[in-house]
């Protein structure tokens, strides 16, 4: 797990780092500290990020806008805001944060938040075993944008553009991923709701720009499933 801490006060960054190490040990994860948003964004353009603790008030822009940019690279990144300004809490909802911690940081609330971060990270990084004729490939749930099935061929479309194709039935593929917030929107398509950007009349538009058809029969159920997912988030 890679955790980034972004605050223009280096003492706050160091304090958060110490809290994480006290809770889970020094070797639990990689922790990188940033005192300005530009160096953090430059890092995020070339390196994966799993979790970010970010101050709402940074030097050149607010942390919410910084988080939006990072989530455009990594939609699955887990975000926790740390701020002395409670008035921005509702604005922060635009980035679906895990929590909004107020300074000075309460130790009990921080530990509870960190435990939720770990739980969510572990749920994201569960994998399914995809069996082909000669071998087995493990695919992390978070990497799957959507699954396409046609003529007993199943193709897993991954976030990096990679595809994994095997022989099989789409019903079985759906049984493996349904509990991880996937919805079957069409006889031939299953979509990871984490990557839905918007709905068109007869299509789902994903964050990577792909457009997935919605069948007339499944349109209502698909939208209801997505609204329920958003409310849970």
């Amino acid at each position: 797990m890679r955790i980034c801490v972004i605050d223009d006060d280096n003492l706050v960054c160091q304090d958060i780092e110490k809290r994480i190490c006290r809770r889970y040990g020094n070797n639990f994860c990689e922790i990188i500290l940033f005192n300005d948003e530009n160096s953090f964004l430059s890092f995020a353009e070339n390196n994966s990020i799993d979790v970010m603790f970010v101050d709402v008030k940074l030097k050149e822009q607010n942390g919410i806008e910084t988080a939006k940019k990072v989530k455009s690279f990594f939609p699955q990144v887990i975000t926790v805001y740390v701020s002395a300004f409670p008035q921005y809490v509702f604005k922060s909802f635009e980035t679906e944060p895990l929590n909004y911690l107020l300074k000075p940081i309460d130790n009990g609330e921080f530990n509870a938040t960190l435990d939720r971060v770990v739980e969510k990270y572990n749920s994201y990084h569960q994998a399914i075993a995809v069996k082909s004729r000669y071998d087995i490939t493990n695919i992390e749930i978070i990497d799957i944008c959507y699954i396409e099935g046609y003529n007993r061929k199943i193709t897993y479309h991954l976030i990096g553009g990679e595809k994994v194709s095997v022989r099989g039935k789409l019903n079985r593929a759906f049984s493996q991923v349904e509990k991880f917030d996937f919805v079957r929107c069409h006889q031939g398509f299953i979509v990871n709701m984490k990557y839905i950007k918007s709905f068109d009349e007869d299509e789902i538009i994903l964050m990577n720009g792909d457009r997935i058809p919605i069948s007339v029969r499944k349109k209502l159920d698909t939208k209801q499933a997505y609204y329920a997912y958003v409310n849970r988030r």
Side-chain angles (χ1 to χ4, degrees), residues 60-116:
E60 295 185 17
Q61 65 179 9
N62 68 56
I64 296 171
E65 295 305 314
T66 298
K68 285 180 182 178
K69 290 180 179 179
V70 173
K71 287 180 76 70
S72 69
F73 309 145
F74 307 107
Q76 78 278 12
V77 67
I78 300 168
T79 305
V80 178
Y81 291 106
V82 183
S83 176
F85 302 95
Q87 63 266 36
Y88 295 106
V89 64
F90 294 110
K91 179 70 174 176
S92 76
F93 289 173
E94 295 175 3
T95 59
E96 299 181 358
L98 184 81
N99 205 355
Y100 191 105
L101 298 174
L102 289 176
K103 299 175 182 177
I105 300 171
D106 177 81
N107 191 59
E109 186 174 2
F110 183 89
N111 287 342
T113 298
L114 186 59
D115 290 345
R116 289 173 58 202

Side-chain angles (χ1 to χ4, degrees), residues 141-174:
I141 296 296
I142 196 64
D143 288 339
I144 304 171
C145 279
Y146 65 97
I147 307 169
E148 182 180 3
Y150 178 73
N151 197 24
R152 296 185 66 84
K153 177 184 177 183
I154 300 175
T155 301
Y156 295 81
H157 296 260
L158 308 185
I159 56 174
E162 183 184 354
K163 300 177 184 179
V164 177
S165 296
V166 296
R167 299 291 294 175
K169 296 181 178 180
L170 201 59
N171 285 341
R172 172 166 170 70
F174 188 48

Side-chain angles (χ1 to χ4, degrees), residues 113-124:
T113 298
L114 186 59
D115 290 345
R116 289 173 58 202
V117 165
V118 173
E119 181 182 0
K120 192 166 189 177
Y121 173 86
N122 289 337
S123 71
Y124 276 178

Side-chain angles (χ1 to χ4, degrees), residues 166-219:
V166 296
R167 299 291 294 175
K169 296 181 178 180
L170 201 59
N171 285 341
R172 172 166 170 70
F174 188 48
S175 70
Q176 287 185 293
V177 301
E178 182 178 9
K179 65 181 178 181
F180 299 110
D181 294 321
F182 284 72
V183 62
R184 189 164 185 178
C185 60
H186 186 279
Q187 183 177 353
F189 290 92
I190 301 165
V191 171
N192 187 340
M193 290 189 283
K194 292 180 179 65
Y195 297 115
I196 292 178
K197 180 180 180 181
S198 61
F199 287 85
D200 207 341
E201 180 63 27
D202 299 308
E203 292 179 315
I204 293 172
I205 302 168
L206 300 182
M207 291 180 181
N208 66 359
D210 287 354
R211 305 176 79 94
I212 309 301
I214 310 175
S215 69
V216 173
R217 188 166 59 88
K218 293 184 179 294
K219 183 182 295 187

Side-chain angles (χ1 to χ4, degrees), residues 13-63:
C13 288
Q14 292 175 353
D15 177 59
I16 292 173
E17 180 181 31
K18 290 176 182 177
R19 289 171 185 269
I20 295 170
C21 293
R22 273 201 307 267
R23 186 68 171 172
Y24 281 98
N26 292 331
N27 299 318
F28 166 68
C29 64
E30 178 185 8
I31 304 173
I32 307 174
L33 309 182
F34 298 90
N35 296 133
D36 68 272
E37 60 273 33
N38 291 329
S39 60
F40 170 57
L41 290 171
S42 295
F43 179 84
E45 288 179 357
N46 300 292
N47 300 274
S48 63
I49 297 170
D50 299 305
V51 183
M52 56 182 172
F53 286 84
V54 57
D55 189 7
V56 170
K57 284 283 191 178
L58 295 171
K59 292 177 181 177
E60 295 185 17
Q61 65 179 9
N62 68 56

